[in-house]
Amino acid sequence: MTTTQDIHSPQFLSGDEFSIPTFRLLQQDGTLFEGAEAPELERDQALKIYHTMVATRVLDERMMAAQRQGRLSFYMQCTGEEAAVVGAAAALDDADMIMAQYREQGALVYRGFSYDEFMNQLFGNELDYGKGRQMPIHYGSRKLHYMTISSPLATQIPQAAGYAYGQKLAGEGYCTLCFFGEGAASEGDFHAALNMAAVHEVPVIFFCRNNGYAISTPSIEQFAADGVAPRAFGYRMHVIRVDGNDILAVLSATREARRIAVEHNKPVLIEAMSYRLAAHSSSDDPSGYRSKKEEEAWREKDPILRMQHWLIAQGWWNDDEEKALQEALRREVLETMKRAEKRPPPPLDSLVSDVYADVTPALQRQLDRLKTHIRQYPESYPKGARSLDPDVKVRDDASNPDVQGGE
Amino acid sequence: MPTMNMLQAINNALDIAMAEDDKVLCFGEDVGIFGGVFRATSNLQEKYGRARCFNTPLVEQGILGFANGLAAQGSVPVAEIQFADYIFPAFDQIVNETAKFRYRSGDLFNVGGLTIRTPYGGGISGGLYHSQSPEAYFAHTPGLKIVVPRNPYQAKGLLLAAIRDPDPVLFFEPKRLYRAAIGEVPEEDYQLPIGEAEVTREGTDVTVLGWGAQMEVIERAVELAEKEGISCEVIDLRSILPWDEESVVESVLKTGRLVITHEAPLTGGFAGEIAATVQERCFLYLESPIARVTGLDTPFPLTLEKEYLPDHLKVFEAIKASVAF
């Protein structure tokens, strides 16, 4: 309470005084904390969540290996954060929009994006919804209400506020959940988004995956505060910090956040405390900036194992089922990968489509000129030549030496 | 037919678009009850409510990020950036997001409903941060459309076309003409085509090309030239992206000469793009080098604004030099 004394003497408040507790329900051995109560969760949904987490990790392990074998140019893993991502997705209505950063494939798996759909994007083949234009891991699905990933960091955060404002005006009772990392929360877009969403009372859930590192930069070099959560106070927003490796806590917190967002048209910030067990991407080597000991400590908090212990304690899961699931998923990943690898790339015409709703005359001229050139040197442009003339005899790899001194 | 100034014509276009489609929203800094610092959005909040016409916090990247999300959701946002000079904080959202939304998603998602309105240009003693013409930065980005009206009639017809266009449109409004340009504007709904230039005067000796506020400058220069017996063909480009190559080429094939003028600095200005294309397609027909009359390669000045600007006398001299080459 403000007193006369406060007003007439310089009393500073300091960010040091703020500390937000972490909401947690489940212990690593699969038992609940004393006094904690599990959220309502039926067997079917619990198993779906678990399958999703395992399927995501199997996909990540196999695709990372495929990248190391040179079959894939790039990959990013969700490993260590499966509970945060899948728990959030499971708390939503399937028609709520998800706008992700890039590491949240678990949410797509939960909504039913198939291994085939993942592979088509990863290999940029003719069935890739994005038509082979973005690096691997830039998924999107209109059918599953999952906005196509954009590489520039944090740009999706104000977009999520805008999308959710449109949902509010449409009055259909849906919200948008926006994933981002604690590093992205340093971008101006984050602050713009929270402010816009709070002022305009928008049904959006800002879901920060605080996984400890932005590539090699540890969170202590990312911000001086007690994490990302306290920033919500400055925007007068609801906020909760949750144990991101605790599936029950994430599910429970996100369900409540969704209720606040949809029923009251208020934005909510969730900070899920977790750890990026894997490298940032296939191009990164974390051994250069963090210790094995630190990683091991977090490996002991594995979110998948924690849920598995809980499921077994419920009598809903056992070791045989675990083994069968793992084997089935591994087989499926490898089969779908082989299928996707063999598929041809998108046709040459897709180079100029979707830039505008219709191909402009200038773009058409440029494409025509390119086709004439490719017909002249089909061996040097095998992918394009094949789509111009399927019978053309060209070698399979794109590493043909270009014709030297052709002029 | 009623007479309107450019602001009234813009306001009228927004009114028609909002009345017709309740998915159309207008927002930006001060656009609510105040009606925008230039009053382009006057009375819209009163008429359509605070949910559809509203003030935003002072955050350009937020305005455009929010607008991108709204457009992706299916709404039709008309976002205002108060001065084109302040569009740069939103540059990433426009060039990396707005422009690439459809392409990167393989047409799963698009922000085609988005229109960005912003006043541009000098001649109002605005100094360096209230006078810039930044169209060329955006012209380098495939996926955007860029439109610049020159009078109230065009402002209404082109803005309605922009709002209903299936692609995102940057709509640069010549603020020097907001109140200075007055003309007859039909009350009813009409659209002018995006991507088509307009030949505003036919002639045989030289083609003079510009857009927006510069068209008034060209008109004065051409009157001086005609007095000296030079027949000028005048083209208003209207759309910078995509731009109407065919109309320009056709005119230059006839006249053999081209003078291009814009307020933005010379280097990397859009005149360079036009000149390169015209020499490629009209090389053997050119009677003289293509001339560019532009601002200097400096930030925009305050006190020496008249000296800096590519005014009618500079354009007139370029026309004479082109014909006498």
Side-chain angles (χ1 to χ4, degrees):
Chain A
M1 216 168 94
T2 306
T3 65
T4 313
Q5 196 185 8
D6 291 332
I7 292 170
H8 298 296
S9 63
Q11 305 261 334
F12 291 90
L13 299 173
S14 166
D16 293 346
E17 292 156 30
F18 285 110
S19 155
I20 295 181
T22 303
F23 171 55
R24 41 170 61 105
L25 297 171
L26 191 59
Q27 304 186 88
Q28 192 61 29
D29 64 3
T31 61
L32 294 171
F33 282 99
E34 202 181 321
E37 214 174 299
E40 200 176 296
L41 181 58
E42 293 189 355
R43 182 176 181 274
D44 283 356
Q45 196 187 11
L47 289 178
K48 180 180 173 183
I49 290 170
Y50 184 71
H51 280 212
T52 300
M53 287 163 68
V54 175
T56 303
R57 188 164 295 184
V58 169
L59 176 73
D60 284 355
E61 285 169 357
R62 293 288 119 183
M63 298 325 290
M64 195 63 194
Q67 197 279 335
R68 292 294 182 242
Q69 292 165 358
R71 294 164 80 177
L72 200 61
S73 63
F74 181 80
Y75 195 74
M76 293 182 100
Q77 294 168 270
C78 184
T79 305
E81 298 173 69
E82 292 93 342
V85 172
V86 179
L92 301 178
D93 186 294
D94 279 345
D96 289 337
M97 176 52 75
I98 293 178
M99 290 182 152
Q101 182 160 306
Y102 48 53
R103 199 183 292 291
E104 300 89 348
Q105 52 266 37
L108 259 178
V109 176
Y110 185 82
R111 290 203 167 169
F113 205 64
S114 70
Y115 277 167
D116 276 309
E117 287 172 300
F118 278 106
M119 298 298 167
N120 292 336
Q121 198 287 326
L122 293 169
F123 288 98
N125 67 29
E126 62 177 352
L127 296 180
D128 170 19
Y129 300 137
K131 303 181 191 173
R133 289 163 183 163
Q134 295 207 73
M135 283 169 75
I137 67 98
H138 289 67
Y139 317 107
S141 170
R142 187 159 193 97
K143 187 181 69 187
L144 300 177
H145 306 279
Y146 193 95
M147 182 66 71
T148 301
I149 306 291
S150 170
S151 284
L153 219 55
T155 54
Q156 79 279 16
I157 314 178
Q159 290 171 14
Y163 199 99
Y165 186 73
Q167 290 174 311
K168 170 178 147 178
L169 295 188
E172 288 161 0
Y174 296 123
C175 69
T176 294
L177 183 136
C178 180
F179 285 114
F180 53 93
E182 87 286 350
S186 295
E187 295 279 7
D189 281 293
F190 166 83
H191 301 276
L194 266 65
N195 196 33
M196 294 282 282
V199 167
H200 293 292
E201 302 186 328
V202 163
V204 59
I205 302 167
F206 298 113
F207 195 104
C208 177
R209 300 176 291 94
N210 186 339
N211 64 12
Y213 288 87
I215 306 188
S216 73
T217 302
S219 55
I220 51 160
E221 292 175 34
Q222 192 68 241
F223 40 70
D226 169 38
V228 173
R231 296 180 202 172
F233 300 143
Y235 298 106
R236 206 176 171 205
M237 274 173 53
H238 286 80
V239 61
I240 189 167
R241 173 174 287 152
V242 59
D243 179 347
N245 287 18
D246 176 344
I247 188 69
L248 298 181
V250 173
L251 182 72
S252 174
T254 313
R255 276 182 183 164
E256 178 60 11
R258 186 182 190 277
R259 194 189 63 73
I260 294 166
V262 171
E263 286 180 19
H264 302 285
N265 282 318
K266 298 271 189 194
V268 183
L269 176 64
I270 298 176
E271 183 180 23
M273 307 307 288
S274 186
Y275 189 81
R276 194 193 73 210
L277 272 179
H280 163 70
S281 76
S282 54
S283 308
D284 170 42
D285 175 11
S287 70
Y289 55 84
R290 67 188 190 191
S291 70
K292 278 271 166 256
K293 204 175 145 199
E294 179 186 297
E295 287 179 32
E296 284 313 315
W298 275 94
R299 214 168 285 281
E300 285 167 17
K301 300 180 191 171
D302 189 322
I304 296 186
L305 278 178
R306 194 183 303 184
M307 185 176 194
Q308 189 192 113
H309 292 145
W310 181 74
L311 285 175
I312 291 170
Q314 303 300 109
W316 291 348
W317 195 245
N318 62 45
D319 288 347
D320 291 341
E321 286 171 307
E322 178 71 27
K323 210 174 147 211
L325 176 67
Q326 294 268 1
E327 278 173 11
L329 288 170
R330 287 204 178 98
R331 203 168 44 240
E332 198 191 331
V333 167
L334 290 174
E335 281 166 10
T336 51
M337 177 158 58
K338 280 181 199 156
R339 268 203 298 276
E341 270 179 319
K342 283 189 196 129
R343 285 203 171 275
L348 192 69
D349 287 29
S350 70
L351 266 180
V352 300
S353 64
D354 306 325
V355 180
Y356 294 98
D358 299 308
V359 176
T360 60
L363 275 177
Q364 190 59 51
R365 273 197 297 275
Q366 290 169 24
L367 179 66
D368 293 344
R369 202 152 49 198
L370 176 62
K371 284 181 176 174
T372 304
H373 176 79
I374 288 175
R375 289 202 169 96
Q376 202 179 344
Y377 296 99
E379 285 282 314
S380 292
Y381 308 95
K383 290 176 183 170
R386 196 185 281 110
S387 85
L388 282 182
D389 178 1
D391 298 328
V392 75
K393 295 275 178 293
V394 290
R395 276 173 278 179
D396 269 337
D397 61 75
S399 59
N400 290 324
D402 285 331
V403 177
Q404 298 292 315
E407 289 299 316
Chain B
M1 202 183 293
T3 298
M4 296 184 194
N5 67 27
M6 191 176 283
L7 285 165
Q8 289 163 332
I10 289 165
N11 184 259
N12 183 232
L14 293 171
D15 192 358
I16 288 172
M18 292 182 86
E20 175 205 59
D21 180 359
D22 63 14
K23 287 197 171 304
V24 177
L25 311 169
C26 291
F27 53 89
E29 294 153 16
D30 300 303
V31 307
I33 194 73
F34 190 55
V37 289
F38 292 103
R39 304 292 191 275
T41 54
S42 288
N43 305 315
L44 296 176
Q45 186 175 79
E46 208 178 327
K47 220 162 161 180
Y48 301 103
R50 296 172 64 94
R52 291 182 59 202
C53 178
F54 53 88
N55 290 336
T56 64
L58 216 151
V59 54
E60 288 80 9
Q61 74 181 129
I63 294 171
L64 262 302
F66 195 83
N68 279 330
L70 261 170
Q73 182 269 341
S75 295
V76 185
V78 184
E80 178 178 305
I81 296 296
Q82 206 160 66
F83 285 89
D85 310 72
Y86 302 119
I87 206 166
F88 297 111
F91 200 69
D92 182 43
Q93 281 289 344
I94 298 171
V95 306
N96 266 330
E97 302 293 315
T98 307
K100 297 171 174 74
F101 230 97
R102 189 194 298 275
Y103 184 78
R104 72 165 175 237
S105 70
D107 205 21
L108 285 185
F109 299 95
N110 74 79
V111 294
L114 173 60
T115 303
I116 305 165
R117 289 182 42 247
T118 189
Y120 85 95
I124 57 142
S125 298
L128 77 175
Y129 289 123
H130 293 82
S131 306
Q132 295 175 70
S133 300
E135 69 276 0
Y137 294 98
F138 299 100
H140 195 54
T141 305
L144 300 173
K145 288 184 177 174
I146 302 172
V147 175
V148 193
R150 75 167 188 280
N151 61 28
Y153 173 76
Q154 280 198 359
K156 178 174 172 182
L158 287 171
L159 182 55
L160 280 166
I163 292 168
R164 293 155 180 169
D165 193 88
D167 293 307
V169 178
L170 265 160
F171 196 78
F172 285 105
E173 300 166 1
K175 61 178 168 290
R176 183 163 64 79
L177 302 185
Y178 265 160
R179 291 190 175 84
I182 296 167
E184 290 193 331
V185 176
E187 235 166 331
E188 67 268 15
D189 191 339
Y190 66 92
Q191 287 178 216
L192 295 172
I194 290 175
E196 282 181 29
E198 185 187 354
V199 178
T200 60
R201 178 194 286 254
E202 296 201 7
T204 53
D205 295 336
V206 57
T207 301
V208 188
L209 171 68
W211 52 85
Q214 204 59 9
M215 295 313 296
E216 198 194 33
V217 170
I218 290 175
E219 216 27 68
R220 293 178 65 191
V222 161
E223 274 163 27
L224 293 176
E226 299 265 340
K227 277 184 198 151
E228 302 215 351
I230 301 169
S231 165
C232 300
E233 179 141 305
V234 176
I235 298 183
D236 174 5
L237 201 57
R238 294 199 296 198
S239 301
I240 307 294
L241 194 68
W243 65 283
D244 187 351
E245 282 183 40
E246 299 310 318
S247 293
V248 177
V249 165
E250 193 186 321
S251 175
V252 176
L253 289 178
K254 183 172 77 174
T255 63
R257 297 182 179 87
L258 177 61
V259 173
I260 311 164
T261 177
H262 58 59
E263 285 181 32
L266 180 73
T267 302
F270 199 66
E273 180 59 36
I274 298 168
T277 304
V278 168
Q279 72 83 21
E280 195 176 282
R281 297 186 61 186
C282 309
F283 185 66
L284 294 175
Y285 294 80
L286 287 173
E287 305 276 351
S288 65
I290 297 166
R292 292 177 289 169
V293 188
T294 70
L296 307 183
D297 282 348
T298 67
F300 206 98
L302 178 66
T303 309
L304 297 176
E305 181 176 36
K306 179 162 170 44
E307 286 70 16
Y308 172 92
L309 280 169
D311 66 357
H312 64 290
L313 292 174
K314 292 174 184 170
V315 176
F316 173 52
E317 284 304 314
I319 292 170
K320 282 198 298 184
S322 178
V323 173
F325 181 78

